[in-house]
Amino acid sequence: MILVTGGCGYIGSHTVVELLKNNYEVIVIDNFSNSKRDVLDKIKTITNKDFKFYEGNVCDKNTLKTVFENNKIDGVIHFAGFKAVGESVEKPLMYYRNNLDSTLTLLEVMSDYNCKKIVFSSSATVYGEAKETRFVETMKKGIPSNPYGKTKNVIEDILEDLYTSDPTWSITMLRYFNPVGSHTSGLIGDDPSGIPNNLMPYILRVAIGELECLTIFGNDYDTPDGTCIRDYIHVVDLALGHIKALEQLFNLESGIKIYNLGSGRGISVTEIVTTFERVNNLKLNYKYGSRRKGDLPSICADPTLALKELGWKCEKTLDDMCRDAYNFIQKQRN
Ligand code: WQD
């Protein structure tokens, strides 16, 4: 059985769908702090499969002990954690407490039950303000510009040190670039509460008229069209990367591995906006504003290692990302 922490979240729910489609037995634990209970039924509708669910906080040791006491868990995919960059700057203690406490509690209980296979949801943010624009796993980690990113950095260190102390662990860290899009059913997707930080959720709110105008944060960068470049990856491609990582975890002896999950293709903000308009046959209301603090001009994955060792690469296109994202928000709002 595979325990998925935060399995009702954006990336977690898409990964649970792919796990069930690949005939894994799944247990989800989620406290709905940044997700909705109806995601459980939507996953069942998409896959026509059932799975166990525990409502609870991964920080709570008793809850986790109950899960491990009552189920033979062979491996864990750990998504649960707060992930809003802006919020993490305002509430650093909440982010350190939640993201570190949940991970430490999970690893302690996994050890107690001799479950030593984990896939961790990390982020390209751990590369920090690297001078390179194309990131490769062997690069030295940087210092993320926000507490959210720093929690990911610290958790990667915790996992490295855990493996050094006990090399019978099988640990895989997946560094996501910019996940966007939704399952083609339109039943699950990225719909954060409040005003979205991230580009695509903000575009969606403007597209459906909930927000007036998108501000493109800066068009004076040293890039072809002056706007920032990022490596956008369809969330379903991202989910499939987790399936490949899990397969490797069960096929190989113990070890610790890090993989970038990105397309390797840099896309500018303006390109996202114009593609979204074309694919969905609409006009977005947007303007160019000043740069956002902490933004780097260009970030892109070198996805070579994941292809070489996991046999994984992105299949979906930017058109797919824009179409699926809009389909989701329309279904959500109707
Ligand atoms: C993308 C581009 C903005 C909003 C963040 C986190 C990272 C990861 C992915 C979790 C940037 C521009 C955005 C808007 C805009 N999250 N933008 N107007 O900053 O690359 O990465 O999300 O792991 O950790 O840092 O993503 O979507 O916020 O921004 O112009 O209203 O869109 O300036 O260039 P980012 P993003």
Side-chain angles (χ1 to χ4, degrees), residues 34-51:
N34 190 25
S35 56
K36 299 183 178 82
R37 184 183 293 275
D38 67 358
V39 167
L40 294 166
D41 289 334
K42 290 176 176 176
I43 293 170
K44 289 171 188 170
T45 303
I46 292 170
T47 60
N48 197 24
K49 293 200 171 172
D50 205 352
F51 54 93

Side-chain angles (χ1 to χ4, degrees), residues 11 83-85 121-126 145-146 148-149 152 176-180 196-203 213-218 221 227-232 267-269 272-273 287 289-292 294-297 299:
I11 298 160
K83 63 163 189 172
V85 166
S121 164
S122 190
S123 167
T125 198
V126 303
S145 57
N146 57 78
Y148 156 76
K152 292 295 185 184
Y176 309 158
F177 282 71
N178 289 58
V180 294
N197 268 324
N198 293 138
L199 178 62
M200 185 57 88
Y202 202 103
I203 286 176
C213 175
L214 167 73
T215 302
I216 295 182
F217 298 140
Y221 285 97
T227 64
C228 289
I229 289 171
R230 293 291 182 273
D231 185 327
Y232 297 94
I267 292 166
S268 78
V269 180
I272 287 261
V273 170
K287 67 183 180 195
S290 48
R291 297 182 175 190
R292 179 174 69 175
D295 275 343
L296 296 178
I299 296 174

Side-chain angles (χ1 to χ4, degrees), residues 151-164:
T151 65
K152 292 295 185 184
N153 227 336
V154 170
I155 294 167
E156 285 202 5
D157 293 345
I158 289 168
L159 291 168
E160 297 270 4
D161 291 343
L162 173 61
Y163 178 72
T164 304

Side-chain angles (χ1 to χ4, degrees), residues 286-312:
Y286 67 91
K287 67 183 180 195
Y288 290 102
S290 48
R291 297 182 175 190
R292 179 174 69 175
K293 188 171 167 305
D295 275 343
L296 296 178
S298 179
I299 296 174
C300 199
D302 177 332
T304 314
L305 194 62
L307 178 59
K308 180 165 164 275
E309 296 190 2
L310 297 178
W312 173 89

